[in-house]
Amino acid sequence: QSALTQPRSVSGSPGQSVTISCTGTSGDIGAYNFVSWYQQHPGKAPKVVIYDVSKRPSGVPDRFSGSKSANTASLTISGLQAEDEGDYYCCSYAGSFSGVFGTGTKVTVL
Amino acid sequence: EVQVVQSGGGLVQPGGSLRLSCAASGFTVWDNYMSWVRQAPMGGLEWVSVIYSGGSTYYADSVRGRFTISRDNFNNTVYLHMNDLRADDTAVYFCARDRSASYAFDIWGQGTTVTVSS
């Protein structure tokens, strides 16, 4: 199973919006509504910010939103804040009882 | 508090074996899907294995036949038994709970480092 494709980096100024794409195939993202997104800070465990494509866990700010179209999922961070800086990974159920993560995107707050 | 605490890991020679542990508190492992995810140095996340609430187990192609996931319901602990370790197994290994059975991981362990080197 190949990793899902994400841009290496995105950046934005405080208050702006950034969107991270996550491209898979008709066998993973395109086939299931089981896409999740994780924020990871250096040396820390990942933290889920979106699950089941667009659901937000309790405690996650509503500036985080998710969507999906065909084989591509997206995470949008609106009203970017300094604490949003970090690495972000998408993940999808890939069929055959397996999961697959994205390549990761570094978000920089300018 | 709902959490998982990991133990195990360390330095092992190529071809060696190691066992990682993931002790849960605040929830029961047998009611949830529990996965292992790893992260190579300066690398991305890689899903490794899962044990379903019903006991079925599944693996990534990269570890199938060498790694075994199991659980001890009495001790509320999940294990990852790793055999025939290779240099490219070097990574930080995370234990994670998938509460919604959708490969979305809401509780993560602190991570444990496995280094395979001679």
Side-chain angles (χ1 to χ4, degrees):
Chain A
Q1 180 67 48
S2 299
L4 308 173
T5 301
Q6 299 180 229
R8 187 174 295 270
S9 65
V10 299
S11 62
S13 299
Q16 289 186 329
S17 294
V18 295
T19 296
I20 303 168
S21 61
C22 171
T23 302
T25 70
S26 59
D28 40 60
I29 292 177
Y32 308 98
N33 288 322
F34 293 150
V35 178
S36 50
W37 289 89
Y38 302 87
Q39 176 193 65
Q40 187 180 34
H41 291 130
K44 301 293 187 180
K47 170 191 171 184
V48 62
V49 294
I50 292 290
Y51 69 100
D52 292 356
V53 176
S54 60
K55 297 177 181 177
R56 198 171 47 250
S58 61
V60 173
D62 60 6
R63 63 178 184 274
F64 289 89
S65 62
S67 63
K68 188 189 89 165
S69 176
N71 299 338
T72 298
S74 299
L75 173 72
T76 297
I77 310 174
S78 305
L80 200 60
Q81 298 187 7
E83 60 261 36
D84 299 332
E85 192 162 281
D87 295 324
Y88 289 78
Y89 294 90
C90 58
C91 180
S92 175
Y93 177 61
S96 300
F97 313 106
S98 67
V100 60
F101 280 92
T103 50
T105 298
K106 182 176 182 61
V107 172
T108 301
V109 181
L110 302 172
Chain B
E1 182 184 3
V2 176
Q3 64 176 358
V4 293
V5 177
Q6 299 179 222
S7 59
L11 174 64
V12 62
Q13 293 188 338
S17 299
L18 213 53
R19 187 186 78 167
L20 307 182
S21 300
C22 170
S25 57
F27 72 97
T28 51
V29 296
W30 65 88
D31 277 338
N32 293 272
Y33 288 16
M34 297 295 296
S35 274
W36 288 93
V37 175
R38 68 184 180 183
Q39 187 168 34
M42 305 304 293
L45 300 173
E46 179 187 13
W47 176 83
V48 173
S49 180
V50 63
I51 182 165
Y52 282 5
S53 51
S56 298
T57 58
Y58 302 98
Y59 303 91
D61 290 345
S62 57
V63 307
R64 187 177 296 114
R66 301 187 299 121
F67 289 13
T68 301
I69 189 171
S70 65
R71 71 185 181 212
D72 178 344
N73 292 344
F74 181 80
N75 288 303
N76 207 26
T77 298
V78 175
Y79 302 98
L80 186 67
H81 307 258
M82 304 183 292
N83 296 322
D84 191 21
L85 283 160
R86 310 188 295 224
D88 61 2
D89 294 318
T90 295
V92 174
Y93 285 73
F94 295 99
C95 168
R97 182 182 78 170
D98 172 7
R99 185 178 182 186
S100 59
S102 61
Y103 287 70
F105 310 110
D106 65 335
I107 302 295
W108 292 71
Q110 79 276 21
T112 186
T113 300
V114 172
T115 303
V116 184
S117 175
S118 55

